Amino acid sequence: MSRKPVDTGEPHRLYTVTGGRSRAEGVSLDLVTLIVSESRPLEGMQSEHVRILDLCRTPTAVVEIAAELQLPITVVKILLSDLLATGRVTARHPRGAAARNDAPDSALLKEVLLGLQNL
C-alpha cells in the first residue's frame, strides 16, 4: 500500500501564502481551539484571510478551517496568527480536564463502563 504525502499543496504556493514563515510566532492554538470572526473582510485582504473570516462567522475549530481551506494545519495557524494580531478574530481555547472542577468521579466512570459492558 502506498501512502499519499500529507502536504499536497504546492510548496511555492504555501511559501507565498505564509510570506515565507514556517511557524506562528507568539500564538498557541490547539486543533480544537474555536476561532470567531470579529470583523468583516477588508478590500485587498489576502484571499485566505477572507475565507477564514467568512468561515468563522460562527465558532469554528482550527482543524475545520484547515479542512475547508485544504491547507496544512501549520499554514492555517500562521494565517490565524496574522488575524489574531490585528484583532480580526478571537480564539476560544478549550478548557483542560485537569482545570475543571466538574470532572466526573472515577468511580462513576467505572460504573458506566461496567454498565456498557453488560449491554
Side-chain angles (χ1 to χ4, degrees):
M1 167 178 20
S2 66
R3 297 176 64 160
K4 276 179 39 174
V6 173
D7 181 5
T8 58
E10 295 179 31
H12 300 299
R13 177 178 175 267
L14 298 179
Y15 182 87
T16 303
V17 166
T18 62
R21 296 170 290 165
S22 61
R23 67 183 68 185
E25 298 294 327
V27 177
S28 175
L29 298 171
D30 294 332
L31 296 177
V32 294
T33 299
L34 295 176
I35 306 296
V36 181
S37 297
E38 296 296 335
S39 68
R40 294 206 174 282
L42 299 175
E43 190 173 320
M45 283 183 85
Q46 185 175 335
S47 63
E48 290 81 9
H49 287 149
V50 171
R51 289 187 62 203
I52 290 171
L53 290 174
D54 287 340
L55 279 171
C56 296
R57 289 183 191 152
T58 59
T60 308
V62 172
V63 70
E64 291 177 86
I65 297 167
E68 285 292 326
L69 297 178
Q70 296 181 347
L71 290 172
I73 292 289
T74 53
V75 172
V76 170
K77 286 182 178 182
I78 293 168
L79 295 170
L80 288 172
S81 71
D82 295 342
L83 293 170
L84 283 165
T86 59
R88 302 222 179 276
V89 297
T90 54
R92 297 179 185 172
H93 298 282
R95 295 189 316 174
R100 294 187 357 204
N101 292 332
D102 59 347
D105 181 35
S106 63
L108 174 65
L109 292 175
K110 287 178 184 176
E111 288 181 39
V112 170
L113 179 62
L114 284 173
L116 291 171
Q117 288 174 341
N118 289 333
L119 289 176

